[in-house]
Amino acid sequence: MAEAHSAVAFSFSITHEGWDVNFDREVLHLVWASGIRSWKKRLARFKNNVRNGIFPAPLQSLWAMMGIVLALRYANNTFIRYTDIILQYLPGTSYVWQIVSCFILSLTFWLILIYIVRYTFKLMLMYKGWMYESRGGHKVSLQTKLWGLGIKLLSSKSKPLLYSYQGSLPKLPLPPVNETMKRYLKSVRPLMNDSEYESMVKLANEFEKGIAVKLQRYLWLKSWWSSNYVSDWWEEYVYLRSRTPLIVNSNFYGTDAIMLHSTSIQAARAAMIIWQCLQYRRLIERQELEPIRVQGLVPLCSWQYERIFNTTRVPGAVSDKIVHYNDSRHIVVYHAGRYFKVMIYSQNRILHPCEIEEQIQSILDNTEKPYVGEEKVAALTAADRTHWANTRTQYFFKGINRQSLDAIEKAAFVVTLDEVPYEYDPENSKKLDEFGRILMTGKGYDRWFDKSFTLCIGSNGRVGFNAEHSWADAPVMGHLWEHFLCGDLVVGYQENGHTKGTPELEPPKPIRLQWNLEPVLEAIEKSYQISLALVNDIDLRILAFNDYGKGFMKTARVSPDAFIQMALQLAYYRDAGKFSLTYEASMTRLYREGRTETVRPCTLESSAWVKSMLDPNVDMNKRITLLREACATHQRGYQDAMCGKGIDRHLFCLYVVSKYLEVESPFLNKVLSEPWRLSTSQTPHGQTTQFDLRKFPNCISAGGGFGPVANDGYGVSYIIAGENLVFFHISSKKSSPHTDSNRFAVRIKEALNDMKSLYDDWNKSTKKLSS
């Protein structure tokens, strides 16, 4: 009754003596403060929208235009007629109305000029020749130099907000079908024998000359009408309509800066990372986060950032949906099988790290037992999506279960305080493997897999995260992670390991979430058994390769990414005895609402080089030539993918159109059913200007990883962490007799060392000849 009473701001009753009004001043004050904060955010959002709408011109240019128009009116009699035309439609002709007419005229001229500049800027961003000339030793053309100068002149006069470039970004271009067919057939040639390839060429020709014409016409209409012809379908059909468990199959993870250990106090590190995340959220809300620009010039699309916080994936019977809340004043913390709602605002401000530390410590000190079923309730989010949707509808639709579920789903994010340490020991690789496995899966029930991300805090103060994949791609979480790692060093801790500062107020006490889960125990156990099977089946190996890094790769005059991809091709061939369809993720964020495209590293050139490495009759000069050709082909494929000339997203969208039209295509069915037995991705770093490895050389995460895409394949994520360090996260299924993550790690190391030996021997031979 006391809780119900405190939830009512005021009440009234009618008695014989008249009106009797009761109200709670504190609750009314909270309502008032909430309303004020909401209107402040709306006003700030409106102001930012105006600034974004006129970018790259500053708002002050309007007043400059006003001054010019006024000066011309009173200095040039012929200019008066333009303002006189406007005066005819105004209520009067006094001096004030003359000023108004000048303002209207200057506003008109200003808007015309603004849109000319904006569309000029947009046309310039459509040029992609710079990408092919800026790498690989190609000479930069005069056209690209002039383009770069123009981009600088147009974008340097006004400081951009996070979304300033959105209206100027071009749309993702739709490639012609015949070009996609040529690229596809070339990409699968090394994977097929002559008869298989001839059969595929026949299917491709029939498709190109037949149904593809109609499908492309519909896709062209979508590309013209929508802001991005791929992203909404990719999100819907690849992620949200998937019914498979999120754990291992979809969610990915990221690790701490393992070379550093700022504090071993769990509550202090948790408080600092929570505070850093809240500061980052405020930068996004105010659009003060600096947008990423390639080479400091070309902006990347920022639309995915909006959903980092206050976002959850809600299960559905057929398709899930992403729900984003405009604001959230709390987080949810999971510890020892219990959930706590933690308020992060008090007295209209974000709590300080030292105040958040008190809240976290109170949770760690809490000795209450979990409610029945509470400990493993998050297993529902890990397993089959339809089962979770049906359970949610039946048992979480009302009552205290609904209230607690709302608290989790509407939280800014979820924090898990693990009861085990996250360890790294250069002399014991198994500790780093376990570090990654804990972050990827936990126990199968101790991460809320539906949330945009779950912060995971080890008992020794090391941290990591587990992120849901549908709302955004890994580089967006990587940007947040870099911000945290940098901020952690800048803000720092006391000498005793606790957060700095003294609490200025008593922070709100964490609120224990209430549950009634006895009717749900069977459903929870069913999901837990599914997630437990996936947890037990995952085989994860994290290889810290420190024999050399990008420093040597650059001296080899090839792209470091291409160098590593060739090593992976050699390693896989040695492991499996054959080539396999290989996936490497690249971005299409040079275009509006762009997400990813597939690069196919297994090419005719890469396969020729791999075979040369296994043929003792091929000399090293030939091997070096083949390797450089393979790296150049890979680099060109990566550039094509970033520029909208990829293969797989186009074929995927043609397939979606065919399903809408209920038209069967043997070619598309075959293409979309091909397994990616080697799925790879490079973890980006250095996305923020604050990330200075020269100042903080050990401030580098070990990267992150994901599960294998195919049951008999590998998932490989790598991060080029420095001049002499590369981390590889290698995952596979223990149940597959064809894969072994530790064995593949050995193959990768052998391949990288063989490539260095090849270059070392070739350099020695070249020096001898030159001398």
Side-chain angles (χ1 to χ4, degrees):
M1 292 298 290
E3 292 176 358
H5 174 72
S6 65
V8 179
F10 67 91
S11 62
F12 69 91
S13 59
I14 302 175
T15 67
H16 294 291
E17 298 177 357
W19 295 84
D20 182 18
V21 180
N22 295 309
F23 61 90
D24 190 319
R25 291 180 181 272
E26 183 178 355
V27 177
L28 287 179
H29 175 73
L30 290 174
V31 172
W32 171 260
S34 178
I36 293 296
R37 183 167 178 265
S38 177
W39 278 105
K40 283 183 178 179
K41 292 185 69 173
R42 290 182 187 181
L43 184 62
R45 194 177 294 118
F46 173 77
K47 182 180 177 181
N48 288 336
N49 288 339
V50 171
R51 288 183 60 185
N52 292 335
I54 64 173
F55 187 85
L59 190 59
Q60 294 86 340
S61 60
L62 174 59
W63 313 124
M65 180 66 73
M66 179 71 176
I68 293 171
V69 170
L70 284 171
L72 288 173
R73 172 178 170 77
Y74 293 107
N76 185 351
N77 291 332
T78 59
F79 193 79
I80 295 177
R81 66 174 181 267
Y82 296 110
T83 54
D84 287 344
I85 294 173
I86 297 174
L87 276 172
Q88 296 176 12
Y89 299 95
L90 296 177
T93 58
S94 65
Y95 179 76
V96 174
W97 288 113
Q98 291 178 32
I99 298 295
V100 172
S101 68
C102 288
F103 176 77
I104 294 173
L105 186 63
S106 61
L107 180 63
T108 303
F109 285 156
W110 182 71
L111 288 174
I112 292 172
L113 184 61
I114 287 297
Y115 278 95
I116 290 174
V117 172
R118 280 175 63 84
Y119 278 100
T120 301
F121 190 54
K122 189 170 186 174
L123 287 172
M124 294 183 72
L125 290 178
M126 293 176 71
Y127 174 69
K128 294 295 183 287
W130 61 273
M131 182 176 292
Y132 297 92
E133 296 177 1
S134 61
R135 293 180 176 86
H138 294 91
K139 185 178 179 181
V140 178
S141 66
L142 178 62
Q143 181 183 11
T144 297
K145 289 179 180 178
L146 292 174
W147 166 85
L149 180 61
I151 290 289
K152 284 183 178 179
L153 290 173
L154 287 176
S155 61
S156 63
K157 295 180 182 179
S158 181
K159 183 180 179 181
L161 299 173
L162 179 60
Y163 304 123
S164 290
Y165 293 107
Q166 292 302 100
S168 300
L169 290 172
K171 290 184 177 182
L172 182 68
L174 177 65
V177 172
N178 64 327
E179 290 186 9
T180 300
M181 292 296 102
K182 290 177 183 177
R183 292 192 186 99
Y184 172 77
L185 290 174
K186 187 178 180 181
S187 73
V188 297
R189 185 64 186 97
L191 306 174
M192 298 179 176
N193 58 37
D194 292 342
S195 61
E196 290 172 337
Y197 183 69
E198 288 176 7
S199 176
M200 180 57 74
V201 170
K202 183 179 178 182
L203 281 176
N205 289 335
E206 290 175 354
F207 172 74
E208 181 181 343
K209 296 174 183 178
I211 190 61
V213 177
K214 184 177 181 180
L215 300 181
Q216 179 78 350
R217 194 180 300 124
Y218 279 101
L219 201 54
W220 175 85
L221 182 62
K222 184 176 188 290
S223 71
W224 175 80
W225 179 254
S226 61
S227 54
N228 189 297
Y229 79 92
V230 175
S231 292
D232 57 339
W233 283 354
W234 185 254
E235 183 178 290
E236 174 71 17
Y237 295 105
V238 173
Y239 293 115
L240 299 182
R241 290 211 178 192
S242 172
R243 303 291 85 196
T244 57
L246 298 186
I247 189 172
V248 175
N249 297 312
S250 180
N251 286 29
F252 59 94
Y253 69 90
T255 63
D256 201 355
I258 59 173
M259 303 296 182
L260 299 172
H261 200 174
S262 305
T263 178
S264 59
I265 300 175
Q266 187 176 24
R269 194 75 194 285
M272 182 60 74
I273 189 174
I274 291 168
W275 183 79
Q276 290 283 356
C277 287
L278 297 176
Q279 298 302 311
Y280 192 85
R281 184 178 73 157
R282 186 165 63 175
L283 290 176
I284 293 176
E285 290 173 346
R286 297 179 178 182
Q287 298 189 29
E288 294 173 354
L289 185 67
E290 182 183 356
I292 297 175
R293 286 177 284 187
V294 180
Q295 298 183 4
L297 288 175
V298 186
L300 300 183
C301 179
S302 300
W303 76 281
Q304 297 180 52
Y305 284 81
E306 183 182 19
R307 301 192 293 189
I308 294 180
F309 301 96
N310 322 334
T311 300
T312 193
R313 174 170 171 169
V314 176
V318 176
S319 175
D320 296 351
K321 62 180 179 179
I322 300 172
V323 177
H324 172 73
Y325 301 95
N326 289 329
D327 193 17
S328 178
R329 298 175 64 86
H330 74 276
I331 61 172
V332 166
V333 177
Y334 176 87
H335 174 251
R338 305 154 307 163
Y339 287 89
F340 297 85
K341 179 179 180 180
V342 180
M343 304 305 298
I344 50 180
Y345 281 85
S346 184
Q347 297 183 5
N348 296 322
R349 68 164 174 82
I350 297 174
L351 295 175
H352 295 156
C354 57
E355 295 161 349
I356 298 175
E357 184 180 350
E358 285 190 5
Q359 294 176 308
I360 300 300
Q361 190 61 52
S362 70
I363 293 174
L364 293 171
D365 294 338
N366 191 305
T367 58
E368 295 178 11
K369 299 295 183 182
Y371 296 109
V372 175
E374 181 182 14
E375 182 181 20
K376 297 180 181 179
V377 65
L380 292 167
T381 69
D384 179 75
R385 303 304 295 171
T386 302
H387 172 67
W388 171 213
N390 294 334
T391 304
R392 188 176 188 275
T393 301
Q394 185 174 0
Y395 298 108
F396 294 86
F397 190 75
K398 59 183 179 180
I400 59 175
N401 287 348
R402 177 68 186 195
Q403 294 172 11
S404 296
L405 181 62
D406 275 351
I408 296 173
E409 293 184 339
K410 293 179 179 179
F413 49 90
V414 171
V415 177
T416 293
L417 303 173
D418 276 330
E419 299 175 90
V420 295
Y422 302 166
E423 296 179 301
Y424 169 65
D425 183 355
E427 304 300 323
N428 187 352
S429 61
K430 291 184 178 180
K431 288 187 176 182
L432 187 56
D433 298 344
E434 182 64 12
F435 192 166
R437 192 204 61 77
I438 291 171
L439 295 176
M440 177 189 279
T441 65
K443 298 176 182 177
Y445 58 77
D446 51 357
R447 285 91 177 88
W448 199 270
F449 293 96
D450 282 354
K451 285 298 290 183
S452 53
F453 68 94
T454 299
L455 289 179
C456 307
I457 321 294
S459 61
N460 60 345
R462 291 195 185 274
V463 299
F465 70 83
N466 182 289
E468 203 276 315
H469 208 331
S470 64
W471 62 273
D473 300 308
V476 177
M477 275 302 298
H479 194 176
L480 165 64
W481 209 239
E482 283 183 12
H483 178 89
F484 159 68
L485 295 178
C486 293
D488 200 41
L489 285 176
V490 172
V491 179
Y493 301 85
Q494 298 182 50
E495 291 184 1
N496 59 10
H498 290 280
T499 52
K500 292 181 178 179
T502 303
E504 298 173 2
L505 52 81
E506 184 179 351
K509 300 293 184 184
I511 303 169
R512 180 78 185 277
L513 296 187
Q514 307 294 309
W515 303 93
N516 177 23
L517 298 174
E518 290 189 9
V520 202
L521 291 179
E522 184 178 346
I524 293 173
E525 183 62 23
K526 179 180 178 181
S527 293
Y528 172 60
Q529 291 304 320
I530 293 173
S531 66
L532 182 62
L534 290 168
V535 170
N536 292 334
D537 195 30
I538 197 68
D539 183 17
L540 181 65
R541 173 79 171 89
I542 301 179
L543 169 65
F545 182 80
N546 56 8
D547 292 356
Y548 65 91
K550 67 178 179 181
F552 170 77
M553 297 174 194
K554 288 179 179 178
T555 63
R557 291 183 293 171
V558 295
S559 157
D561 179 72
F563 191 97
I564 290 176
Q565 285 292 335
M566 294 308 105
L568 292 175
Q569 288 299 307
L570 178 57
Y572 187 85
Y573 192 85
R574 285 172 169 171
D575 185 77
K578 61 181 179 179
F579 295 109
S580 175
L581 192 61
T582 307
Y583 179 107
E584 182 187 6
S586 74
M587 66 172 183
T588 55
R589 287 171 59 198
L590 292 170
Y591 300 95
R592 191 169 187 178
E593 296 183 16
R595 290 201 61 163
T596 61
E597 178 56 276
T598 303
V599 183
R600 294 181 169 221
C602 185
T603 61
L604 288 168
E605 291 78 6
S606 69
S607 60
W609 171 73
V610 168
K611 290 176 181 177
S612 76
M613 291 294 289
L614 304 177
D615 186 350
N617 297 319
V618 179
D619 63 68
M620 63 182 172
N621 290 321
K622 181 65 173 178
R623 288 174 177 175
I624 288 289
T625 301
L626 291 173
L627 176 57
R628 287 179 171 170
E629 289 176 355
C631 289
T633 299
H634 176 81
Q635 185 70 2
R636 180 63 184 235
Y638 201 101
Q639 292 163 342
D640 284 343
M642 290 182 66
C643 294
K645 300 176 185 177
I647 300 168
D648 293 275
R649 299 301 178 269
H650 185 199
L651 294 178
F652 163 76
C653 288
L654 290 171
Y655 179 78
V656 173
V657 175
S658 73
K659 290 302 178 182
Y660 273 122
L661 297 177
E662 298 182 347
V663 175
E664 285 297 318
S665 168
F667 171 75
L668 290 177
N669 288 338
K670 185 172 181 60
V671 170
L672 272 295
S673 64
E674 293 171 338
W676 300 97
R677 290 193 173 89
L678 182 56
S679 181
T680 71
S681 178
Q682 180 181 176
T683 302
H685 66 93
Q687 298 185 81
T688 172
T689 55
Q690 298 175 341
F691 198 74
D692 190 350
L693 285 179
R694 289 171 297 183
K695 188 175 180 181
F696 304 112
N698 290 328
C699 184
I700 183 69
S701 166
F706 51 86
V709 174
N711 288 330
D712 58 348
Y714 292 106
V716 181
S717 176
Y718 54 93
I719 180 170
I720 304 173
E723 295 299 313
N724 295 293
L725 182 61
V726 184
F727 286 101
F728 293 88
H729 297 245
I730 306 152
S731 64
S732 62
K733 297 286 184 71
K734 294 178 182 177
S735 56
S736 171
H738 306 292
T739 57
D740 183 290
S741 293
N742 188 64
R743 185 183 71 209
F744 195 55
V746 173
R747 297 294 192 191
I748 292 173
K749 189 171 183 177
E750 289 175 351
L752 288 168
N753 286 328
D754 286 350
M755 292 170 75
K756 187 174 188 301
S757 297
L758 173 64
Y759 268 100
D760 288 344
D761 292 343
W762 181 76
N763 285 329
K764 290 178 183 178
S765 175
T766 304
K767 288 178 181 179
K768 286 181 180 180
L769 289 173
S770 63
S771 62

